[in-house]
């Protein structure tokens, strides 16, 4: 290997990072360390419309509007999903940690990633993951819960997230039972703002037991639910500093690019 | 020869001079197939659930193995040992105590040792002659440690062979011969240098599979802090028994311990350390200081009753080592690029 290729390999120009989520696929392209493309596609459509299968999954990057990449890195929910041809697969936790390191510029924090179907909490010390917990068996503390409850209330997810005051008490610990409990509260004539706040608060209170094992001063929040302003407000009472990443949903994909940039 | 149970590493030279066969209760507990039963025995006898498994295991192992005499360390090691000795006494076990004085002054240490010698009815000369004999064997531990650095002995061998120096596995001569055989066997192996150089800090782990598990993940413990101390690597340079036990690190203040840890991290060029803490042990608090003082990635893991790693701890070790490998690779690439650019 001569010097030139060695250098270009160490700092590649164009990197594509793909995070294969359980419900959405997130794609980031970076050029010279800057994000030049963000793309979100439903997981079903990604596999159906942009992939072919020949022993391995082959992604049609051209069709996605991405060309001439130097490096491709993927991560995703469950290892098998990440095994795309020509892509370097990396562990999901690692991808999210690298995303958060790149986006926050911090080296010591607790990362809370709340996705559509799972929650990850990772403690990061000196830039390395030192503790973690995953909750992928219960829907009551992840994005799907909020979506379902917003549907029951017939309000858009985004406006649901505005309500935090005087939450109505929802006792059920189960996502399915919560729906009927909520309908009961609607029937009692409780106003919408209190119902919406109740949903946000119940989600927060289910995250709390997971978080108590991860005490610290700084919390960094990523994943779709990071967009919920009320939950973030509630979290602020438990940490000195709560930072919501700028691109919370793309954090895993950004982490893939960061990995490609730094380590390949 | 009369058996005497130990709760941790003690001045074994004195006991040998007095004609005892010292048995480290920790070792009979942790390597036993019955290790769980020993803990259970302690709990059935009233030891609280919220107490460290080592103390309960030591208790169970002592009672169930019919040990009639125990030397416990009441200062510098475990704060629970004092009460443990009282319970032993109630069980008609003869008890003796020894303290590593918190002051860490040579005078105080001399005082403690003299007290023990007098109590055991042995002379300074007798003790020193035992020391000379043991020091020759302690050199073998140093050699095994060097073989680990070289990439021949595994992290587990390094751990277990040094660990057994607390009681020379119950028979000094036999253990010495065993070490000779081991050294010969290890020496014949090819050098195997794994990717990540790790250090192990803290008391020996409850889980016997930790050392091998990191090897699966391309890591290797090339430094076992406390186990190495059990083998007294500086014994040969110490001018007498007093100095030897003065130079022992782990039972004195943390700053003294840290001095040597820092030196080893540097000399062995470690990439990271794993700090082991025991559930319900006061020593877990030392983790705060280690993290503040050591400028190296640290992963803290905790053990409780189980003698194998649980799934979550495995996942944590995996994620940590995975990222560490990335870091090491990057640092290496960076250095190379700098060389190219020069
Ligand atoms: S682990 Fe801690 S509490 Fe348990 S015996 Fe050792 S020093 Fe005592």
């Amino acid at each position: 290997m001569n010097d030139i290729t060695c250098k270009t390999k160490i700092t590649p120009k164009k990197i594509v990072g793909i995070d294969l989520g359980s419900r959405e696929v997130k794609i980031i392209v970076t050029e010279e360390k800057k994000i030049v493309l963000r793309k979100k596609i439903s997981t079903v459509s990604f596999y159906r419309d942009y992939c072919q299968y020949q022993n391995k999954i082959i992604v049609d990057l051209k069709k996605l509007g991405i060309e001439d990449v130097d490096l491709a890195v993927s991560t995703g929910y469950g290892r098998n999903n990440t095994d795309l041809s020509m892509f370097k697969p990396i562990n999901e936790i690692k991808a999210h940690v690298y995303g958060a390191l790149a986006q926050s510029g911090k080296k010591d924090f607790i990362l809370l990633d709340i996705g559509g179907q799972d929650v990850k909490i990772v403690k990061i010390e000196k830039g390395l993951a030192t503790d973690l917990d995953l909750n992928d068996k219960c829907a009551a503390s992840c994005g799907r819960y909020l979506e379902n409850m917003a549907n029951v209330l017939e309000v858009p997810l985004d406006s649901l997230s505005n309500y935090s005051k005087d939450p109505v008490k929802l006792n059920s610990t189960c996502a399915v039972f919560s729906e009927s409990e909520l309908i009961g509260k609607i029937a009692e004539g409780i106003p919408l703002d209190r119902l919406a706040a109740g949903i946000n608060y119940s989600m927060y209170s289910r995250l709390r037991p997971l978080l108590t094992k991860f005490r610290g001063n700084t919390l960094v929040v990523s994943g779709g639910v990071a967009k919920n302003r009320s939950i973030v407000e509630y979290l602020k009472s438990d940490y000195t500093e709560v930072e919501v990443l700028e691109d919370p949903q793309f954090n895993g994909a950004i982490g893939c690019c960061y990995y490609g940039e730094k380590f390949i | 020869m009369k058996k005497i149970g130990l709760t941790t590493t003690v001045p074994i030279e004195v006991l040998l001079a007095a004609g005892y066969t010292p048995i480290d209760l920790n070792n009979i507990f942790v390597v036993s197939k019955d290790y769980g039963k020993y803990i259970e025995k302690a709990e059935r006898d009233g030891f609280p659930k919220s107490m460290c498994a080592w103390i309960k295991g030591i208790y169970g192992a002592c009672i169930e193995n019919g040990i009639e005499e125990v030397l416990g360390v009441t200062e510098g090691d475990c704060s629970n040992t004092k009460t443990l000795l009282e319970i032993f006494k109630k069980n008609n076990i003869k008890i003796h105590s020894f303290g590593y004085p918190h002051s860490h002054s040579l005078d105080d240490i001399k005082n403690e040792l003299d007290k023990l010698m007098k109590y055991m009815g042995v002379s300074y000369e007798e003790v020193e002659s035992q020391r000379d004999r043991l020091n020759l064997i302690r050199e073998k531990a140093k050699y095994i440690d060097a073989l680990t650095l070289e990439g021949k002995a595994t992290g587990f061998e390094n751990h277990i062979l040094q660990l057994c120096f607390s009681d020379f596995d119950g028979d000094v001569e036999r253990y010495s011969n065993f070490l000779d055989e081991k050294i010969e066997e290890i020496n014949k192996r090819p050098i195997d240098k794994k990717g990540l150089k790790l250090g192990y800090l803290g008391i020996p782990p409850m889980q016997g599979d930790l050392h091998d598990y990191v090897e699966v993940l391309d890591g290797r413990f090339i430094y076992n802090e406390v186990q190495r101390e059990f083998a007294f690597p500086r014994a040969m340079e110490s001018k007498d028994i007093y100095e030897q036990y003065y130079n022992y690190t782990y039972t004195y203040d943390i700053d003294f311990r840290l001095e040597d840890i820092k030196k080893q991290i540097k000399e062995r060029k470690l990439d990271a350390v794993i700090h082991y803490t025991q559930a319900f042990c006061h020593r877990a608090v030392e983790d705060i200081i280690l993290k503040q003082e050591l400028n190296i990635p640290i992963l803290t893991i905790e053990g409780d009753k189980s003698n194998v790693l649980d799934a979550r701890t495995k996942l944590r070790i995996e994620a940590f080592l995975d990222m560490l490998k990335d870091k090491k690779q990057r640092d290496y690439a960076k250095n190379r690029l700098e060389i190219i650019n020069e």
Side-chain angles (χ1 to χ4, degrees):
Chain A
M1 198 189 284
N2 67 36
D3 296 359
I4 306 293
T5 49
C6 179
K7 274 183 211 168
T8 45
K9 264 213 92 176
I10 288 166
T11 49
K13 280 195 163 58
K14 195 166 178 182
I15 306 170
V16 57
I18 294 192
D19 176 8
L20 300 140
S22 54
R23 306 181 51 205
E24 277 178 319
V25 172
K26 278 81 69 175
I27 304 167
I28 287 280
V29 179
T30 58
E31 240 174 289
E32 303 290 352
K33 298 183 190 168
K34 286 205 174 63
I35 297 175
V36 292
L37 180 88
R38 286 179 183 74
K39 213 179 179 90
K40 225 176 357 175
I41 306 165
S42 88
T43 303
V44 176
S45 146
F46 176 79
Y47 287 118
R48 192 184 54 207
D49 305 334
Y50 299 95
C51 293
Q52 280 173 17
Y53 191 81
Q54 287 168 2
N55 294 326
K56 257 188 165 186
I57 298 163
I58 298 170
V59 187
D60 191 340
L61 284 178
K62 233 189 209 142
K63 217 166 162 190
L64 285 165
I66 303 165
E67 280 182 272
D68 304 325
V69 292
D70 298 303
L71 266 179
V73 181
S74 63
T75 191
Y77 190 71
R79 271 189 203 183
N80 299 336
N81 280 344
T82 66
D83 208 7
L84 307 175
S85 165
M86 315 288 288
F87 277 72
K88 158 109 183 138
I90 64 167
N91 171 292
E92 194 196 3
I93 295 157
K94 193 159 103 168
H96 280 85
V97 172
Y98 283 143
L101 289 171
Q103 289 200 78
S104 72
K106 294 181 165 60
K107 287 212 176 297
D108 295 275
F109 57 92
I110 288 152
L111 173 67
L112 169 65
D113 179 272
I114 317 169
Q117 289 194 354
D118 69 332
V119 181
K120 291 186 255 309
I121 307 173
V122 191
K123 182 167 189 174
I124 293 117
E125 292 172 283
K126 297 178 182 159
L128 296 169
T130 56
D131 199 358
L132 54 101
D133 211 348
L134 311 172
N135 185 2
D136 52 6
K137 291 187 181 62
C138 171
S141 52
C142 61
R144 189 63 165 262
Y145 170 74
L146 289 181
E147 279 171 36
N148 289 355
M149 296 299 259
N151 275 340
V152 174
L153 274 194
E154 296 179 0
V155 295
L157 198 56
D158 190 49
S159 56
L160 177 92
S161 87
N162 288 326
Y163 300 98
S164 58
K165 280 209 187 75
D166 199 12
V168 65
K169 210 157 174 42
L170 296 172
N171 293 315
S172 177
T173 48
C174 164
V176 179
F177 287 135
S178 283
E179 281 186 33
S180 38
E181 203 186 347
L182 180 65
I183 292 166
K185 299 285 179 198
I186 298 169
E188 280 172 33
I190 296 185
L192 182 89
D193 52 349
R194 288 196 59 208
L195 294 171
I199 295 167
N200 294 329
Y201 192 79
S202 66
M203 167 104 174
Y204 159 74
S205 52
R206 276 186 219 108
L207 289 169
R208 263 188 96 167
L210 295 173
L211 285 166
T212 45
K213 283 190 245 154
F214 294 81
R215 296 239 186 255
N217 291 319
T218 310
L219 183 77
V220 170
V221 196
S222 68
V225 178
K227 296 209 149 136
N228 186 304
R229 288 170 281 270
S230 298
I231 292 178
V232 171
E233 262 327 294
Y234 296 137
L235 286 168
K236 280 185 184 160
S237 60
D238 301 326
Y239 292 87
T240 323
E241 187 194 3
V242 176
E243 177 176 335
V244 176
L245 295 178
E246 210 174 300
D247 266 321
Q249 284 172 290
F250 286 96
N251 189 46
I254 291 172
C256 287
C257 292
Y258 180 87
Y259 175 83
E261 180 79 47
K262 292 256 179 191
F263 303 116
I264 304 183
Chain B
M1 262 197 280
K2 252 185 115 169
K3 282 186 187 167
I4 185 164
L6 316 177
T7 62
T8 182
T9 294
V10 295
I12 189 171
E13 292 80 359
V14 181
L15 301 176
L16 292 173
Y20 278 108
T21 300
I23 307 279
D24 187 333
L25 297 170
N26 293 281
N27 298 355
I28 38 174
F29 157 56
V30 80
V31 301
S32 166
K33 275 208 300 295
D34 291 334
Y35 90 99
K37 272 212 220 137
Y38 292 152
I39 299 174
E40 247 175 58
K41 160 84 182 144
E43 288 182 355
R44 264 189 281 118
D45 288 358
F47 279 73
K49 287 253 175 235
S50 61
M51 186 176 238
C52 142
W54 279 114
I55 279 287
K56 289 186 268 197
I58 290 175
Y59 169 80
C62 182
I63 303 284
E64 302 273 297
N65 288 289
I67 308 273
E68 290 165 357
E69 219 170 326
V70 170
L71 174 61
V73 169
T74 47
E75 201 180 344
D77 184 44
C78 182
S79 45
N80 291 323
T81 308
K82 264 189 193 156
T83 337
L84 185 66
L85 291 183
E86 279 166 19
I87 295 275
F88 280 153
K89 204 164 134 193
K90 291 272 172 264
N91 280 277
N92 295 322
I93 293 169
K94 194 171 171 196
I95 56 163
H96 317 270
S97 65
F98 178 78
Y100 292 95
H102 190 66
S103 65
H104 195 205
S105 91
L106 195 55
D107 280 346
D108 290 345
I109 290 159
K110 183 170 179 302
N111 206 359
E112 269 298 316
L113 270 157
D114 286 342
K115 237 171 44 193
L116 185 69
M117 286 186 232
K118 198 169 156 207
Y119 182 73
M120 293 280 168
V122 294
S123 70
Y124 170 79
E125 289 71 29
E126 284 170 312
V127 170
E128 279 298 327
S129 105
Q130 286 296 334
R131 195 173 91 88
D132 289 342
R133 168 182 171 223
L134 296 189
N135 279 357
L136 293 176
I137 309 170
R138 297 193 194 280
E139 286 300 298
K140 296 179 191 175
K142 273 163 81 175
Y143 189 54
I144 288 164
D145 202 20
L147 286 174
T148 316
L149 279 179
E150 203 188 321
K152 284 186 173 175
T154 67
F156 183 74
E157 285 167 332
N158 181 287
H159 151 77
I160 200 83
L161 295 173
Q162 297 194 99
L163 184 79
C164 290
F165 269 77
S166 60
D167 63 356
F168 291 77
D169 208 24
D171 184 334
V172 176
E173 288 317 315
R174 198 188 55 205
Y175 194 57
S176 173
N177 294 336
F178 172 71
L179 289 176
D180 289 336
E181 283 164 30
K182 259 316 222 191
I183 286 172
E184 203 186 315
E185 179 210 319
I186 294 169
N187 239 329
K188 283 194 198 127
R189 288 184 205 156
I191 289 175
D192 171 17
K193 287 215 167 164
K194 287 262 171 30
L196 296 168
K197 294 187 206 159
L198 305 173
Y200 177 93
L201 304 185
I203 61 160
M206 271 295 288
Q207 305 97 331
D209 56 347
L210 169 69
H211 284 75
D212 287 342
Y213 186 67
V214 303
E215 302 229 346
V216 175
L217 302 170
D218 203 21
R220 165 172 274 179
F221 285 114
I222 57 166
Y223 171 50
N224 287 297
E225 185 223 348
V226 171
Q227 296 88 324
R228 181 169 171 270
E229 286 301 308
F230 284 177
F232 289 85
R234 297 168 298 277
M236 210 52 131
E237 294 108 68
S238 307
K239 74 170 193 295
D240 52 27
I241 185 99
Y242 307 121
E243 205 176 272
Q244 177 178 332
Y245 284 88
Y246 173 84
N247 286 335
Y248 186 45
T249 64
Y250 132 94
T251 46
Y252 301 111
D253 59 303
I254 186 112
D255 286 334
F256 185 59
R257 208 181 126 193
L258 270 166
E259 252 176 59
D260 194 53
I261 294 175
K262 284 180 184 167
K263 197 169 142 218
Q264 298 304 326
I265 289 175
K266 211 168 147 198
E267 278 178 15
R268 294 170 195 242
K269 299 195 178 74
L270 300 182
D271 296 312
V273 294
I274 293 185
H275 179 213
Y276 177 83
T277 60
Q278 183 71 27
F280 309 111
C281 171
H282 62 281
R283 282 193 178 271
V285 188
E286 288 169 348
D287 191 56
I288 304 168
I289 303 169
L290 293 183
K291 279 190 178 144
Q292 274 168 2
E293 287 280 327
L294 299 179
N295 189 21
I296 187 169
I298 302 180
L299 176 72
T300 307
I301 59 170
E302 193 188 68
D304 188 2
K305 286 181 192 169
S306 169
N307 69 349
V308 289
L309 295 167
D310 61 278
R312 201 171 92 88
T313 307
K314 281 186 172 173
L315 196 64
R316 291 179 55 207
I317 297 174
E318 195 186 330
F320 178 74
L321 295 186
D322 187 1
M323 291 184 73
L324 193 65
K325 238 184 277 171
D326 288 348
K327 183 179 174 289
K328 192 171 179 177
Q329 201 179 317
R330 180 188 59 189
D331 294 347
Y332 172 74
K334 230 201 265 161
N335 285 341
R336 243 182 54 185
L337 191 65
E338 272 161 21
I339 293 164
I340 292 165
N341 286 342
E342 263 167 18

